[in-house]
Structures are given as structure tokens and as C-alpha cells.
């Protein structure tokens, strides 16, 4: 399973430093599918595969604060120690019902056996801190019924830290190196539990890494240049991957679940196979017949499990254009099919298979400390089950290819990527079906507008363009015309901001900040609480470089076509590149 993720060192490094630098783009991120590549400097289209990962159904963990990814356990000893504890409380009884059919003989044979097994499953789990970043994530905004959404980040680790993972992952030159987050998918469960959205981020995405502090105290400074997103896992563990997502998207993340190669295989076996389809014979091979995932299937539908399921999830050579985007599409198809398979329930009526699934899931996962018991994961699964398959939508972050040294890697597509992120932040369904929830109304300001102090700064700069001269002063004038007499310009801060935003430091100023947004026509969703400011701060972003009213985009409830949305009931076949057919 995915070994320690708290402290890591880049392989090939000499003396270790307590402070790491993440200014090198690319680097040794990512690995060839069968270990025949050079392990570094890959391009988006040319590189091989080092990703794995698929969400496990249910898992658990227990015990105080051990480092994420720690492995040293003796389940027998743990169970023996647990025998003297009191009977499980009501929450644990509920969780026990989840595995009751598999444990019937044990419970009948010995009164405490069911509880011992529950504790055994809890002991299987590995857990870590939710976020290792410095920024405090903004709270969810409740809907009219007081409900809030749930966001879970799924991470596929390419760890080669065990004999099993090394056999499955190949790339001998990387054995023992810190893992990469080669699969990253955000699950957004709507506040009313009517729909589920999945957003994949290609592992080749380039972004600025936030500062991360590992559980052991090692500090990884914020990067000053773009870094490939899968490097985040090497900066202290999955909590840094969470911090990187929040830095880029502004989406609050409530939980993470991480799985490695061996975990994918064990979960696929426990489920009993997942149906997938290809439109032609495929044999995934790398350049000159080397590398590739090794996937070999005939045209049509096949139930893949074990190592073959892992091959499907890692394949890029052979699907469509051979890019990481094609691989994400194949992963979406697998996920959709797995959900349909689990909901049929045919594999879960056999007690032995149910026990195998519980063992596989709890052993496969590393989770945040908010999901550290079987009961918590069971309750999460119950929430996810409320969404009908037809309301599940898979998508990929809209992106464009980079240039120069980052040619072949990808960047968020201006406009489209932010629209997708905003829809998730605002709990808009990606399937286009109208939500029944009421819109969030701004709170009444706690002070007359004339008494609300607002610092306006010019954040219109982009990577390609400098700040537009005078934009902060223009917006300050608009505010004063609306009665905000205490509006001022902050001339010293011209750091670029993709989107116009209004930040406030504490709950007592939220109403004031929303009053500023209402006066300017800025969506309330762009008003956020932040510890980075001491008062209300308005950043005029790159989306408002021109004079006039704030340009609220049209069709804001429509998912961008560039997100490649797929419905959970789709049963299409992956298109095979003729070069990889046989």
C-alpha cells in the first residue's frame, strides 16, 4: 500500500535540506507505463503512464495521529487489545450492519467478534492531514434548506514502495522514490444530494504550488515558476495536493481519498470486474514496442479486474490521441461502469465477497482524519448512494497546451476552466438540469455603505499582459458613486488575479463585503473569507480589464463544451488509435 507520504526526497538528490524548492517545471514527474521511459521531462503527448487510482467504495481508519501512509500494524494484537473495550455505540452498530451478512457466523459464534472485526477494519486504514497549505479554506454556503455540498478529492498515487507496487508499476529506476499524484479527480456531491459532478485535472497541468508544511515539520516553499500538478504529492503528502487544488480552483475540499496500484487491483478483484468497451482491438505499447500499459483487448466489451483493470486506468498509448486527456476519458468510463456495477448489488449479496470488499477497501485507502472510521466512510457512501446514476456527470478541466519549455503540458483554459470551477463552487449541476434550490441572497450589511471601508487594488495583470493602468481608480470611483465614501486605492498591490474577488477577514464583515459585490454587480460567490486580508479588499481581476459595469458572463449555468462532460449512464466505447490495434 502507499507507504509514508509525510517526508520525501527527490531521487538523485544529495544531502537533504529541511527546505525544499519547487521551482523546476516538469522534472522527474510521471513514469512510463511499464517502466521503459526515462522517468523525467516527459511531454503531455509523449510521456508514458505512472498514474493509477480509482475511488474505493468504503474504508476506515482509527488511532491517533500516526503519519499518513504508515504501515506498521498487527491486526491481531490490535484486535486483542480491543476485546476489553465496551460494546460499540449506536454509530458503530450502524456501521456493523454494513458487514453483518459477511460476519454472521462470527457474531453467532462469539459475542464480541463483530466488534473485533470492526476494529480490525478501522486498523487497516491509513490517514493524514486534510491540507498542508497555509490558506484557510472558505466555508461552504448553505442552500435555502440549510444543506451544504461535499467535495472529495480522489488521488491515484504511483508509489513504488512495496514489492507488489513495484511489480505492477515497473520503472525500476524509480523504486523507493517519492510518489506522484498521477490521477486527481474532484467529486462534488450537491447540497441537496440530487446530483454528483466529477472534475478531473490532467496530471500534466502546470500551476504554481502553494507553500506546504509536511506532518514532520519539513517546509516546502511556494513555487515561483509553474510546476506539474502531480508533483504536489511529493511536497508532504496528499494534504499538499488538496492545497494545490484549492489554490487553483477556490473550491473548498472536505475530504481526500488516495489509492495506489495494489489498491486498484484489490478493489477491482473484490468488485468482481468492471465492464469496459473498445471500438477495435487494442494493444497498448510504447514507442518502438516498449512501454505502454500492456493492455490487450479484442474489440467489444470486457469485464476487467485485477491487473487488467489497472492497465485500463493507466493506458494512454492506444486511446484516441495518446494524450493524458484521453486517459482521463477512459478513467471516467471505468468509474461510470463501476458505479453501475456496484448499484446492481449482485456482487454484494455473497457474504464472502462482501467481506473481501471491506478488507480490500480499508486496506487500499489513505484518507484524511475526517474519514478515519468505517462508520464515517459508511455514512459517506450512504450520502453518495442518494444520487441517481443519470445525475452523475464526469468532466475534465478545460485546458490548452503550453509552449516553449512547457510544450506538450497543459494549462487551465481561460474562461472555460474558471466557469467550470465556479459552477462547482456555486453548487450548479453540470448536467444542465435546473436546481430547485433558491439562490443565495446577500446578507444585510452590518453598517451603512458610507461607513464601509474598501481597499481596491489592480489585479488585472496576466501572464501575457501587464496591469491596465488606472483600473483600481476607476472601480474606486464606481464605489464612491454608489455611496461607499471610504473606498480607497491600494497602489502597492498589483499581483494578478484571474477573477475579480472581494475578500473579508471575519464573519462580522461578510455582510459588508456582500454589499460591495451587490453594488458592483459582482456575483456573491466571488465574495470569500480570507486570513490574508485585515479588512475588505477588492481585487479588480483580469476578467474586468475594460471600463464599464462588471461583465457578468452569459449562460453561467452551462458546462463548457471543452469540459467533455459524460453522463453516468453512458456506455460508450473508447476509440482506439489504429497504430495500436492488431
Amino acid at each position: 500500500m502507499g507507504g509514508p507520504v509525510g517526508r520525501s526526497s527527490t531521487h538523485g538528490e544529495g544531502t537533504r535540506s529541511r527546505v525544499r524548492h519547487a521551482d523546476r517545471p516538469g522534472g522527474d514527474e510521471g513514469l512510463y507505463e511499464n517502466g521503459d521511459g526515462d522517468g523525467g521531462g516527459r511531454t503531455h503527448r509523449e510521456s508514458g503512464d505512472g498514474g493509477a487510482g480509482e475511488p474505493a467504495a468504503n474504508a476506515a481508519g482509527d488511532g491517533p495521529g500516526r503519519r499518513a501512509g504508515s504501515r506498521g500494524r498487527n491486526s491481531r494484537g490490535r484486535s486483542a487489545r480491543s476485546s476489553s473495550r465496551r460494546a460499540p455505540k449506536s454509530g458503530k452498530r450502524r456501521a456493523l450492519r454494513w458487514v453483518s451478512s459477511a460476519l454472521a457466523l462470527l457474531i453467532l459464534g462469539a459475542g464480541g467478534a463483530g466488534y473485533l472485526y470492526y476494529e480490525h477494519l478501522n486498523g487497516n486504514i491509513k490517514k493524514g492531514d486534510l491540507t498542508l497549505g497555509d490558506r484557510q479554506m472558505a466555508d461552504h454556503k448553505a442552500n435555502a434548506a440549510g444543506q451544504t455540498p461535499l467535495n472529495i478529492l480522489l488521488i491515484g498515487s504511483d508509489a513504488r514502495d512495496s514489492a507488489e507496487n513495484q511489480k505492477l508499476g515497473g520503472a525500476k529506476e524509480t523504486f523507493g522514490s517519492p510518489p506522484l499524484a498521477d490521477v486527481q479527480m474532484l467529486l462534488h456531491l450537491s447540497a441537496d444530494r440530487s446530483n454528483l459532478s466529477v472534475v478531473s485535472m490532467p496530471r500534466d497541468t502546470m500551476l504554481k504550488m502553494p507553500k506546504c508544511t509536511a506532518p514532520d515539520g519539513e517546509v516546502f516553499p511556494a513555487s515561483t515558476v509553474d510546476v506539474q500538478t502531480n508533483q504536489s504529492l511529493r511536497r508532504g503528502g496528499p494534504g499538499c495536493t488538496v492545497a494545490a487544488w484549492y489554490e487553483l480552483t477556490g473550491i473548498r475540499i472536505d475530504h481526500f481519498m488516495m489509492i495506489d496500484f495494489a489498491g486498484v487491483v484489490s478493489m477491482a478483484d473484490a468488485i468482481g470486474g468492471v465492464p469496459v468497451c473498445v471500438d477495435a482491438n487494442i494493444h497498448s505499447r510504447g514507442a518502438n514496442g516498449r512501454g505502454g500499459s500492456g493492455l490487450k483487448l479484442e474489440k467489444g466489451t470486457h469485464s476487467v479486474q485485477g491487473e487488467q483493470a489497472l492497465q485500463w486506468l493507466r493506458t494512454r498509448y492506444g486511446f484516441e490521441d495518446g494524450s493524458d486527456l484521453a486517459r482521463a476519458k477512459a478513467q471516467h468510463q471505468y468509474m461510470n461502469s463501476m458505479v453501475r456495477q456496484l448499484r446492481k448489488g449482485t456482487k454484494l449479496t455473497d457474504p464472502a465477497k462482501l467481506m473481501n470488499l471491506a478488507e480490500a477497501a480499508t486496506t487500499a485507502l489513505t484518507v484524511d482524519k475526517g474519514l478515519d472510521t468505517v462508520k464515517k466512510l459508511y455514512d459517506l457512501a450512504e450520502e453518495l448512494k442518494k444520487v441517481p446514476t443519470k445525475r452523475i456527470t464526469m468532466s475534465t478541466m478545460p485546458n490548452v497546451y503550453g509552449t516553449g519549455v512547457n510544450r506538450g503540458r497543459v494549462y487551465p483554459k481561460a474562461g472555460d476552466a474558471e466557469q467550470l470551477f465556479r459552477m462547482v463552487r456555486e453548487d450548479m449541476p453540470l448536467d444542465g438540469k435546473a436546481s430547485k434550490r433558491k439562490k443565495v441572497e446577500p446578507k444585510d450589511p452590518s453598517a451603512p455603505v458610507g461607513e464601509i471601508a474598501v481597499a481596491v487594488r489592480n489585479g488585472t495583470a496576466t501572464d501575457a499582459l501587464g496591469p491596465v493602468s488606472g483600473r483600481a481608480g476607476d472601480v474606486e470611483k464606481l464605489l464612491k458613486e454608489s455611496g461607499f465614501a471610504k473606498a480607497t486605492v491600494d497602489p502597492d498591490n498589483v499581483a494578478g488575479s484571474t477573477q475579480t474577488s472581494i475578500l473579508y477577514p471575519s464573519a462580522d464583515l461578510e455582510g459588508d463585503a456582500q454589499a460591495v459585490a451587490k453594488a458592483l454587480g459582482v456575483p456573491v460567490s466571488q465574495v470569500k473569507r480570507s486570513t490574508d486580508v485585515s479588512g475588505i479588499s477588492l481585487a479588480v481581476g483580469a476578467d474586468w480589464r475594460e471600463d464599464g459595469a462588471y461583465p457578468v458572463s452569459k449562460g453561467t449555468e452551462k458546462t463548457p463544451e471543452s469540459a467533455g462532460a459524460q453522463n453516468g449512464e453512458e456506455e460508450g466505447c473508447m476509440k482506439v488509435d489504429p497504430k495500436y490495434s492488431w
Side-chain angles (χ1 to χ4, degrees):
M1 305 315 308
V5 294
R7 181 172 179 173
S8 61
S9 61
T10 305
H11 75 269
E13 200 173 30
T15 303
R16 293 179 49 163
S17 169
R18 294 293 295 174
V19 178
R20 301 298 178 86
H21 295 277
D23 293 353
R24 298 188 298 275
D28 114 274
E29 66 276 18
L31 305 159
Y32 276 75
E33 289 167 317
N34 279 343
D36 293 322
D38 62 5
R42 299 170 309 157
T43 64
H44 182 65
R45 289 181 177 272
E46 296 168 353
S47 62
D49 291 2
E54 202 54 54
N58 297 291
D62 204 358
R66 59 180 175 270
R67 285 175 54 182
S70 61
R71 293 181 51 82
R73 293 185 179 85
N74 183 325
S75 58
R76 288 188 179 182
R78 186 179 184 92
S79 295
R81 290 194 303 272
S82 302
S83 62
S84 62
R85 299 178 185 175
R86 290 182 296 179
K89 297 180 181 179
S90 59
K92 292 186 176 180
R93 292 194 193 100
R94 183 183 179 196
L96 280 172
R97 287 199 295 272
W98 177 54
V99 292
S100 60
S101 60
L103 300 172
L105 292 177
L106 289 176
I107 294 172
L108 288 173
Y115 179 60
L116 294 180
Y117 191 70
Y118 172 85
E119 287 298 296
H120 161 72
L121 292 178
N122 280 346
N124 284 345
I125 199 72
K126 300 176 291 293
K127 57 184 178 287
D129 294 331
L130 174 61
T131 179
L132 302 178
D134 284 352
R135 289 186 62 189
Q136 180 179 346
M137 290 189 282
D139 293 333
H140 289 299
K141 290 186 181 296
N143 63 13
Q147 302 165 309
T148 55
L150 268 176
N151 294 320
I152 305 117
L153 185 62
L154 306 179
I155 304 169
S157 162
D158 75 344
R160 289 160 168 82
D161 55 356
S162 68
E164 189 174 7
N165 278 329
Q166 290 169 1
K167 178 182 177 182
L168 294 168
K172 294 181 179 179
E173 71 278 6
T174 67
F175 286 4
S177 296
L180 295 160
D182 271 357
V183 175
Q184 299 175 38
M185 295 182 181
L186 181 70
L187 269 64
H188 171 79
L189 180 62
S190 67
D192 61 9
R193 304 306 190 248
S194 68
N195 64 89
L196 177 71
S197 302
V198 178
V199 178
S200 287
M201 184 185 295
R203 69 164 186 194
D204 295 345
T205 302
M206 304 299 290
L207 46 75
K208 298 286 194 305
M209 287 288 175
K211 174 185 175 183
C212 289
T213 303
D216 65 356
E218 187 170 7
V219 176
F220 297 80
S223 66
T224 57
V225 298
D226 292 329
V227 178
Q228 194 162 303
T229 183
N230 63 356
Q231 290 276 351
S232 60
L233 196 56
R234 292 184 166 180
R235 295 166 55 82
C240 194
T241 306
V242 169
W245 267 77
Y246 186 67
E247 187 78 14
L248 178 66
T249 69
I251 298 170
R252 176 185 176 83
I253 295 176
D254 302 289
H255 300 292
F256 71 75
M257 302 170 74
M258 185 170 72
I259 192 169
D260 61 11
F261 294 151
V264 171
V265 171
S266 64
M267 281 299 300
D269 283 341
I271 292 170
V274 175
V276 295
C277 179
V278 288
D279 71 352
N281 296 347
I282 181 175
H283 187 193
S284 176
R285 309 175 304 280
N288 301 318
R290 300 184 306 151
S293 71
L295 180 70
K296 189 171 185 180
L297 294 173
E298 294 182 355
K299 176 182 179 179
T301 300
H302 305 268
S303 181
V304 296
Q305 61 186 95
E307 187 171 357
Q308 197 172 49
L310 178 63
Q311 289 173 339
W312 176 275
L313 293 167
R314 299 181 67 201
T315 295
R316 67 185 301 168
Y317 291 132
F319 287 151
E320 298 188 348
D321 63 355
S323 71
D324 203 43
L325 307 179
R327 173 163 51 190
K329 183 176 179 180
Q331 291 167 352
H332 292 166
Q333 288 197 5
Y334 181 96
M335 283 186 65
N336 281 335
S337 183
M338 182 178 69
V339 169
R340 292 192 298 268
Q341 196 76 355
L342 286 171
R343 289 195 169 181
K344 288 178 182 177
T346 55
K347 299 291 189 296
L348 304 182
T349 55
D350 183 326
K353 289 182 178 178
L354 183 59
M355 181 181 288
N356 288 340
L357 182 57
E359 284 285 348
T362 54
T363 305
L365 290 176
T366 298
V367 300
D368 67 277
K369 295 172 183 176
L371 291 178
D372 60 356
T373 65
V374 170
K375 178 193 178 311
K376 292 175 183 177
L377 280 155
Y378 173 82
D379 290 345
L380 174 60
E382 288 295 292
E383 291 295 293
L384 294 170
K385 280 170 58 179
K386 295 177 182 179
V387 180
T389 308
K390 64 182 180 181
R391 295 298 311 278
I392 297 175
T393 306
M394 305 280 177
S395 66
T396 301
M397 179 196 76
N399 56 82
V400 295
Y401 286 107
T403 58
V405 295
N406 291 323
R407 177 180 176 273
R409 292 183 169 85
V410 300
Y411 287 83
K413 184 177 182 180
D416 284 7
E418 174 52 31
Q419 182 174 331
L420 184 67
F421 299 153
R422 179 169 48 78
M423 290 182 72
V424 174
R425 287 195 303 265
E426 297 183 13
D427 198 24
M428 297 180 184
L430 297 189
D431 60 8
K433 296 181 180 179
S435 175
K436 296 180 181 179
R437 61 183 171 78
K438 295 181 180 179
K439 293 184 177 179
V440 177
E441 295 295 335
K443 295 182 179 180
D444 292 330
S446 58
V449 294
E451 298 178 12
I452 298 175
V454 186
V456 185
R457 71 178 186 83
N458 189 342
T460 57
T462 68
D463 290 341
L465 301 170
V468 177
S469 178
R471 287 300 295 134
D474 293 340
V475 174
E476 177 205 25
K477 183 178 179 181
L478 290 176
L479 282 171
K480 287 185 172 177
E481 289 174 353
S482 299
F484 290 83
K486 291 188 176 181
T488 59
V489 171
D490 178 0
D492 299 323
N493 189 344
V494 292
S497 177
T498 303
Q499 182 185 61
T500 296
S501 60
I502 301 167
L503 306 180
Y504 61 95
S506 56
D508 61 312
L509 291 179
E510 182 176 8
D512 293 0
Q514 289 186 352
V516 174
K518 184 176 181 180
L520 296 174
V522 176
V524 176
S525 61
Q526 290 164 223
V527 178
K528 303 173 185 177
R529 185 172 178 174
S530 172
T531 57
D532 294 336
V533 296
S534 57
I536 297 175
S537 175
L538 166 61
V540 184
D543 59 346
W544 200 6
R545 289 175 61 89
E546 298 180 1
D547 292 338
Y550 181 72
V552 179
S553 57
K554 304 292 184 182
T556 55
E557 300 235 359
K558 182 179 179 182
T559 303
E561 291 184 9
S562 55
Q566 295 176 263
N567 183 268
E569 293 188 333
E570 289 183 24
E571 298 186 24
C573 292
M574 281 301 296
K575 181 176 177 58
V576 174
D577 184 338
K579 297 193 297 293
Y580 296 91
S581 189
W582 54 280

